[in-house]
Amino acid sequence: MAFLSFPNVRIAGISAGVPQNIADNLHPTEDDSVSTEYSPEDFVRMTGVKERRVSFTLTTSDLCYAAAEKLIADLKWNKADVGAVFFVSQTPDYILPATACILQDRLGLSKECYAVDISLGCSGWIYGLSSAASVLGRGSIKKALIMCGDGKGRFIGKKRRLNPLFGSAGTVTALEYEEGSAGIKLHFGTDGSGFDAIITPEGGSRNPVTLASFDTEIVDGKKTYRIQSRMKGMDVFSFGITAAPKSVKSLAAHFEFDYLQADWFVFHQANAKMNGMIAKKLKLPVEKVPSSMYRFGNTNGASIPMTIVAELKGKTDGKLAKFICCGFGVGLSWGSAYFETNNLVISDLVEVSDEEVDKVHVI
């Protein structure tokens, strides 16, 4: 069973960066029209997503960089003390090198820094927590950053159309080794038999990119390309409402605590209906389940820390707060975490302009 516990580790702070440009699903442009199947009003009602932040210019690393600079300043950390960087994303700057290496240099961190990319989607932040926590206190590394999110896509269609469900965000979570801290408790699961439930069919070494990758094809009545991601909606919906509540209950049972005593339940922001059913299955009070979907959409792996920044700033100041977080999606993979924070630093949201793109690490 994939249960992990990391004592003496604390989450010190969380920040988020988003593009300045707001796409409004109730007033869509040609670039981001909602759907030919639903009216804008029906789409917003069904998904819970009215607005998202979008950019055709800013990469995930641009957004994470801005968020990291803000959080490091708010924490008053010395950059030389940051010993590890974990970049969790489906949209790295390049196929290689690892984007974590680029961010180490861009942020001016020590060349003795441990830097690694993790290619995961909606469960990625939870996996990032375990990876970062695992290196803290094992040697010289006492502080680590998890940079998680998705920004500018790897492929933009001929009409530059954006998916109305998804928004761009880059988040940063700061962890540090602290003797006596309650630490982080986690549960993980994987079902690779559902690998094609959310998939980009071409672009990897299994199916390399060819000219045909850019030919239009019809899938479930919609035009798409084989270089674009696609999803089996009903399969993913069924998976999410089953795996997430089971994972939370398994976590609580294994570590013998009452999950209902948590102050906040922060789930991956898939869509309003799915998250509502998960909360109902767990018998959670609505006021304990914050959501950032209405203003920021589904921000993939960033959605848990994005929700904490967008909805909980000022609500955890000066007191102990108990969190249960759960991410689930592409893989299929899922994970849940329980942790406590005391005086958690939540930075103000950073809005990033298109002019702030990285001009140094460009070939």
Side-chain angles (χ1 to χ4, degrees), residues 31-43:
D31 279 345
D32 55 12
S33 56
V34 170
S35 173
T36 57
E37 300 177 61
Y38 307 106
S39 69
E41 294 77 13
D42 286 342
F43 182 87

Side-chain angles (χ1 to χ4, degrees), residues 3-7 138 182 184-186 255:
F3 293 100
L4 298 173
S5 179
F6 298 99
R138 301 301 191 272
I184 304 172
K185 297 175 173 60
L186 304 113
F255 291 107

Side-chain angles (χ1 to χ4, degrees), residues 27 54 60 95 140 148 151 160 173 194 239 243 261 297 327 330 335 341 351:
H27 304 93
V54 298
T60 310
I95 293 175
S140 62
C148 183
R160 294 166 59 94
T173 304
F239 155 72
Q261 296 305 307
V330 62
T341 65
E351 295 187 301

Side-chain angles (χ1 to χ4, degrees), residues 318-349:
K319 59 184 178 183
L320 181 73
K322 300 176 181 179
F323 284 82
I324 289 179
C325 302
C326 181
F328 47 91
V330 62
L332 295 168
S333 69
W334 61 95
S336 294
Y338 172 80
F339 56 88
E340 299 176 358
T341 65
N342 201 352
N343 294 319
L344 175 69
V345 172
I346 301 178
S347 297
D348 290 332
L349 182 69

Side-chain angles (χ1 to χ4, degrees), residues 283-298:
K283 297 181 169 57
L284 304 179
V286 175
E287 63 271 16
K288 285 190 174 186
V289 189
S291 173
S292 61
M293 273 182 285
Y294 189 77
R295 291 191 296 147
F296 297 99
N298 179 336

Side-chain angles (χ1 to χ4, degrees), residues 248 265-269 275 278 282 284 289 303-304 326 328:
V248 170
F265 297 84
V266 189
F267 300 114
H268 164 56
Q269 303 291 285
N275 284 30
I278 292 169
L282 290 169
L284 304 179
V289 189
S303 68
I304 294 173
C326 181
F328 47 91

Side-chain angles (χ1 to χ4, degrees), residues 120-196:
L120 276 173
C122 308
S123 63
W125 186 73
I126 304 293
Y127 278 83
L129 279 182
S130 69
S131 297
S134 69
V135 305
L136 292 174
R138 301 301 191 272
S140 62
I141 299 176
K142 304 298 182 183
K143 291 181 168 62
L145 299 176
I146 305 167
M147 302 188 183
C148 183
D150 278 302
K152 171 187 174 184
R154 295 181 296 107
F155 171 71
I156 299 172
K158 297 174 182 177
K159 292 188 177 180
R160 294 166 59 94
R161 184 165 171 166
L162 298 169
N163 189 310
L165 182 63
F166 295 95
S168 294
T171 65
V172 179
T173 304
L175 281 76
E176 62 183 359
Y177 179 79
E178 181 181 81
E179 195 72 35
S181 173
I184 304 172
K185 297 175 173 60
L186 304 113
H187 169 256
F188 295 97
T190 306
D191 181 8
S193 68
F195 79 98
D196 60 346

